[in-house]
Amino acid sequence: QVQLVESGGGLVQAGGSLILACAASGRSFSGYAMGWFRQAPGKEREFVAGINWSGTSTYYTDSAKGRFTISRDTAKNTVYLEMNSLKPEDTAVYSCAARGGLVSTNWSTHQYWGQGTQVTVSS
């Protein structure tokens, strides 16, 4: 079992920045690919960013490219999502997730999930 706990969400003005953190505990964290997903009210959950188990490969949805950066600190068992130039359309509940194997944009393939953290971007 892997337990995931997100932090760092909040209210920010458009153009601002936030750093989300996802702390893992339980089984070895290093063997899992990690992903950040988000879900806005009335919308489906969507992939935002992913990172492979070694941290050497990262993936982003088009809307996140150039603005968001995913990283992981294996020593701290933590994955981060740095979000810059935030827009109102980034408003959502952001959740981190873990899966064995390769990074996937499909949320249903992830075995472990955090509880989510709210990000609200005001215009």
Side-chain angles (χ1 to χ4, degrees):
Q1 284 284 63
V2 175
Q3 291 80 43
L4 304 174
V5 178
E6 302 95 336
S7 62
L11 174 63
V12 64
Q13 289 188 330
S17 299
L18 284 174
I19 299 177
L20 305 183
C22 172
S25 62
R27 293 183 62 182
S28 175
F29 164 75
S30 61
Y32 289 87
M34 300 296 297
W36 283 97
F37 293 80
R38 67 186 181 188
Q39 188 166 23
K43 295 188 177 181
E44 294 186 354
R45 183 180 294 171
E46 65 172 348
F47 171 82
V48 177
I51 189 166
N52 69 343
W53 69 271
S54 64
T56 56
S57 295
T58 57
Y59 306 83
Y60 300 93
T61 191
D62 286 345
S63 63
K65 289 178 182 176
R67 300 189 300 128
F68 295 3
T69 303
I70 188 171
S71 61
R72 68 191 298 164
D73 185 333
T74 302
K76 295 183 178 180
N77 284 346
T78 302
V79 174
Y80 302 96
L81 184 67
E82 180 179 354
M83 305 186 294
N84 299 309
S85 302
L86 283 162
K87 305 174 182 180
E89 51 264 44
D90 294 317
T91 296
V93 174
Y94 285 70
S95 300
C96 66
R99 72 184 302 271
L102 303 177
V103 171
S104 173
T105 62
N106 185 342
W107 65 266
S108 68
T109 66
H110 291 69
Q111 291 85 21
Y112 304 106
W113 288 84
Q115 82 288 351
T117 185
Q118 177 70 47
V119 171
T120 303
V121 184
S122 63
S123 57

